[in-house]
Amino acid sequence: MKRLLMLFIPIFILLSGCQLIEESEYTCRIHFIDTGKSDCILIESDKNVLIDAGDNDHQYEVVDYINKLGIKKLDYVVNTHPDADHCGGMDKIVEYFDIGQVFVGNGNSDKKTYKKFIEALEDKKLNPSV
């Protein structure tokens, strides 16, 4: 899983427009949001990319963190896989933010947490790409 994540991060940094302007000035910030033992990464630039959203216990912390940055739209939302420690907060992310495009890895699971995420996407008429 970590190898897959390490592959996704550079790709989304490039897609989101992050680039080095000068040695001391960046056009983006990468946030590793503390969600305990779960995963959540936000890439903030001219495009905002969220990779995973932690577990259910930290879903409001993730929403609050992003709100405090003044972000209203997430251009890309990536759920790497349906385990609860990666998609637990996704339903609240979809509920609270304007979402551009959603990417879902391993897009099939009967887990309750993952189903809530997919239902939230359906409620907003968002279709994930696999």
Side-chain angles (χ1 to χ4, degrees):
M1 173 56 213
K2 291 197 183 225
R3 278 193 230 163
L4 181 62
L5 191 56
M6 295 311 292
L7 175 67
F8 269 123
I9 292 173
I11 291 170
F12 281 104
I13 289 172
L14 292 173
L15 287 176
S16 66
C18 292
Q19 57 184 316
L20 180 63
I21 295 176
E22 293 179 15
E23 285 185 10
S24 64
E25 186 179 345
Y26 292 89
T27 61
C28 75
R29 291 186 282 175
I30 299 173
H31 306 260
F32 294 91
I33 301 171
D34 184 6
T35 56
K37 294 183 179 181
S38 56
D39 291 318
C40 184
I41 300 169
L42 174 70
I43 302 171
E44 181 186 11
S45 69
D46 62 326
K47 302 280 186 193
N48 296 307
V49 180
L50 183 71
I51 303 171
D52 293 331
D55 57 28
N56 283 321
D57 293 341
H58 295 93
Q59 61 190 355
Y60 291 106
E61 292 171 25
V62 174
V63 168
D64 290 345
Y65 188 97
I66 296 170
N67 274 328
K68 286 179 183 173
L69 294 172
I71 295 173
K72 304 292 182 211
K73 180 178 183 182
L74 296 168
D75 299 285
Y76 302 102
V77 171
V78 179
N79 177 232
T80 58
H81 62 282
D83 289 354
D85 62 334
H86 293 261
C87 74
M90 282 293 188
D91 58 325
K92 293 300 174 197
I93 293 297
V94 172
E95 180 182 333
Y96 282 92
F97 296 97
D98 182 21
I99 307 291
Q101 192 167 0
V102 180
F103 296 93
V104 177
N106 300 330
N108 191 10
S109 176
D110 62 352
K111 295 178 182 178
K112 181 181 174 184
T113 303
Y114 185 73
K115 285 182 177 181
K116 286 176 65 177
F117 167 45
I118 297 302
E119 288 169 2
L121 292 174
E122 289 172 353
D123 288 347
K124 275 198 157 175
K125 301 194 182 346
L126 292 168
N127 295 315
S129 299
V130 179

